[in-house]
Amino acid sequence: VTDIGQFSSLVLGADGFSRIAYYSVSRGDLRFARCLNIDCASRNIFTVDSTNDTGKYTSVALGSDGFARISYQNETSDDLKMSRCLTIDCQAANNNNIDTTGDVGSLKTNIAMGSDGFARISYYDDTADDLKFVRCTSIDCNLKVITIVDSVNNVGKYNSMQLGSDGFARISYWGDGDMKFVRCTNADCTAKVISATDPEGSDVGHYSSLRLGSDGFGRISYYDNAIPRLKFARCRDQDCSPANPQIDIAMSFRPTITATITQADLFLRKVGNPANPTLRL
């Protein structure tokens, strides 16, 4: 089979060997490979979903049973789908539509497993230009809660999602030209804190990848499309707020007479609790 392997996603099993979900361009199918050794020179490969043109923008996670859960898009119907593998090799699976409203699930889906054993998925709504999030409330996600997380202007592309120690989602994503970050403060992400982590570029935040450090704060790699360059952000607080910029204020003046300046009087006052300023003459 030629032209296979786009939109791949990888997770390691308890045996230390890889599991890979990916798209077959030539067949328009979602496929799954379970590596049988550390180099994946030997593996078992099965087609998971072959309904129409399906399997793009995959993300894979393992349930407590060791079997894969895969989020992806059916491009024919423009629907977000999820497969729950029923065997370790995924030769049998339950494939369900998760969101069928508009063109949803393109430009990367992200799946993670909650402590309840049910999936969480972040994804992009290309019709409304929104970032969306689903919390599955059943094992196959036929029951779920869907939330629009951010809908201000054009947001949600290239998202990446991790669950924090509180079980709530953290999501990095492109938002109207900025690198944005959201910390959900409840399970459904109906309450959240949204920050423009890198608001200084003209088009930053493409292809983001998010991981949480041992401090619970995010690390984000992403692409600055304007420069163009690879960039990295280490969040310094849980909301990944942008660093306070240094502000320089300058004033110049010209004396009204020709004479030697022997004295300059200045009046400075602090309002609130800012850091001490540096004065230069």
Side-chain angles (χ1 to χ4, degrees):
V1 178
T2 60
D3 204 355
I4 54 177
Q6 287 187 0
F7 310 109
S8 66
S9 180
L10 180 147
V11 67
L12 296 179
D15 55 10
F17 303 155
S18 297
R19 278 70 166 156
I20 307 170
Y22 59 100
Y23 172 65
S24 170
V25 178
S26 55
R27 292 179 172 176
D29 294 344
L30 173 67
R31 306 191 80 185
F32 180 82
R34 180 173 68 93
C35 301
L36 304 178
N37 56 26
I38 196 166
D39 291 324
C40 210
S42 178
R43 63 260 170 202
N44 292 337
I45 296 175
F46 288 94
T47 297
V48 180
D49 190 352
S50 58
T51 304
N52 301 318
D53 185 0
T54 195
K56 293 185 176 181
Y57 313 111
T58 70
S59 180
V60 61
L62 297 182
S64 58
D65 54 11
F67 302 160
R69 276 67 165 167
I70 308 168
S71 60
Y72 57 102
Q73 188 195 47
N74 183 314
E75 192 169 66
T76 301
S77 57
D78 291 329
D79 294 338
L80 174 69
K81 299 189 71 175
M82 188 190 89
S83 290
R84 179 174 67 91
C85 299
L86 303 177
T87 64
I88 194 169
D89 288 325
C90 211
Q91 68 265 45
N94 287 345
N95 304 322
N96 287 311
N97 290 324
I98 308 303
D99 190 349
T100 60
T101 303
D103 181 356
V104 289
S106 64
L107 297 175
K108 195 71 175 77
T109 68
N110 295 270
I111 191 168
M113 301 303 297
S115 58
D116 55 8
F118 304 149
R120 276 68 165 159
I121 307 170
S122 68
Y123 58 105
Y124 173 60
D125 184 332
D126 195 24
T127 300
D129 291 326
D130 294 341
L131 174 67
K132 300 182 78 174
F133 176 80
V134 57
R135 178 175 66 89
C136 302
T137 57
S138 63
I139 194 168
D140 287 318
C141 209
N142 52 326
L143 299 174
K144 65 264 182 181
V145 178
I146 295 175
T147 302
I148 297 173
V149 177
D150 192 352
S151 59
V152 178
N153 300 320
N154 183 357
V155 292
K157 294 178 181 178
Y158 315 114
N159 60 86
S160 181
M161 184 260 295
Q162 291 269 283
L163 299 183
S165 58
D166 54 10
F168 305 152
R170 277 70 164 161
I171 309 169
S172 62
Y173 59 103
W174 181 91
D176 204 32
D178 295 337
M179 176 71 248
K180 299 188 75 175
F181 178 87
V182 58
R183 177 175 65 91
C184 302
T185 55
N186 62 10
D188 292 325
C189 208
T190 53
K192 65 266 182 179
V193 179
I194 296 176
S195 301
T197 298
D198 186 350
E200 298 182 7
S202 60
D203 189 13
V204 295
H206 291 237
Y207 316 113
S208 75
S209 182
L210 168 69
R211 291 295 181 268
L212 299 180
S214 57
D215 54 9
F217 303 159
R219 275 67 164 165
I220 311 169
S221 62
Y222 57 101
Y223 179 65
D224 187 326
N225 193 48
I227 300 178
R229 292 290 188 274
L230 171 68
K231 300 182 77 173
F232 174 82
R234 178 177 65 87
C235 301
R236 299 190 296 180
D237 61 23
Q238 62 179 352
D239 294 324
C240 209
S241 306
N244 293 325
Q246 176 180 322
I247 300 174
D248 292 326
I249 300 173
M251 177 181 289
S252 65
F253 63 91
R254 183 182 298 275
T256 58
I257 60 175
T258 301
T260 301
I261 296 176
T262 59
Q263 180 178 323
D265 295 321
L266 299 128
F267 174 72
L268 302 175
R269 183 180 68 177
K270 291 175 69 171
V271 178
N273 295 294
N276 291 326
T278 299
L279 174 66
R280 298 181 180 88
L281 285 179

